[in-house]
């Protein structure tokens, strides 16, 4: 993808603070971090979002976080937990699939807020989703 900034990072055309890479993924520090150690895991191939992504990448990333990245940030940054998240479509700024790996610290007050005025009753949601 010509204009994709994450493809450019993969190709080395844009610099990044790379923490880890292998044949499938690259992990680097987010340029606008939410907490100390906020990283992104991106596949080396361009996939737009979760719906295009081969499951192998997810499994690989989960294993990577469990075995390498969380132990690393726990030891070096003394974090108290970790948020593992990713956006698709609305809320996704960069259209090259990426997982946010965000070390959490007691009292970091990090949270996603939603407009609860948009909520419809749970019974209505359930009836739409369950065909009942
Ligand atoms: P999202 O809103 O889930 O698409 O998140 C995109 C993330 O990419 C944001 O957290 C940005 O700070 C981050 N980002 C954008 N450009 C760069 C870059 N050149 N290097 C590192 N992180 C970036
Ligand atoms: Zn890309």
């Amino acid at each position: 993808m010509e204009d994709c900034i994450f493809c450019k990072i993969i190709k080395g055309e844009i610099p990044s603070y790379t923490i880890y890479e292998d044949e499938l993924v690259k992990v680097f520090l987010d340029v606008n971090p939410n907490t100390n150690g906020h990283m992104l895991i991106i596949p080396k191939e361009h996939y737009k979002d979760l719906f295009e992504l081969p499951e192998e990448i997810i499994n690989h990333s989960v294993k990577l976080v469990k075995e390498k990245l969380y132990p690393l940030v726990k030891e070096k940054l003394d974090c108290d937990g970790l948020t593992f998240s990713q956006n698709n479509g609305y809320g996704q700024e960069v259209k090259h699939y990426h997982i946010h790996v965000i070390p959490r610290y007691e009292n970091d007050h990090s949270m996603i807020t939603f407009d609860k005025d948009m909520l419809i009753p749970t019974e209505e949601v359930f009836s739409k989703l369950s065909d009942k």
Side-chain angles (χ1 to χ4, degrees):
M1 285 283 288
E2 293 279 295
D3 288 334
C4 172
I5 50 169
F6 286 178
C7 281
K8 287 185 178 162
I9 285 177
I10 298 285
K11 285 188 253 163
E13 294 170 8
I14 292 180
S16 66
Y17 290 102
T18 298
I19 303 297
Y20 173 87
E21 78 179 294
D22 59 30
E23 68 289 356
L24 288 180
V25 297
K26 188 174 177 88
V27 183
F28 53 95
L29 294 179
D30 195 296
V31 77
N32 183 21
N34 287 331
T35 67
N36 291 327
H38 181 171
M39 300 174 221
L40 301 173
I41 304 176
I42 66 173
K44 289 203 159 163
E45 294 285 321
H46 182 97
Y47 302 105
K48 184 176 63 166
D49 57 22
L50 183 68
F51 309 108
E52 286 190 353
L53 191 79
E55 283 162 27
E56 178 193 15
I57 303 286
I58 304 266
N59 295 338
H60 187 70
S61 301
V62 169
K63 192 168 153 62
L64 183 60
V65 169
K66 284 162 96 163
E67 292 179 1
K68 279 203 165 67
L69 302 178
Y70 187 60
L72 179 70
V73 290
K74 181 98 187 114
E75 187 196 335
K76 306 284 184 171
L77 299 176
D78 197 25
C79 61
D80 301 305
L82 185 122
T83 292
F84 181 93
S85 68
Q86 56 92 209
N87 299 309
N88 304 283
Y90 184 72
Q92 181 182 4
E93 181 197 320
V94 179
K95 307 296 185 199
H96 178 131
Y97 180 86
H98 52 281
I99 299 168
H100 293 265
V101 174
I102 309 176
R104 300 299 302 269
Y105 302 87
E106 237 179 87
N107 302 318
D108 62 22
H109 299 300
S110 173
M111 64 172 101
I112 303 176
T113 53
F114 293 96
D115 182 358
K116 300 248 181 173
D117 287 345
M118 294 174 75
L119 286 177
I120 57 175
T122 300
E123 293 75 17
E124 235 176 275
V125 175
F126 181 68
S127 108
K128 282 175 191 280
L129 297 180
S130 63
D131 257 357
K132 278 178 195 150

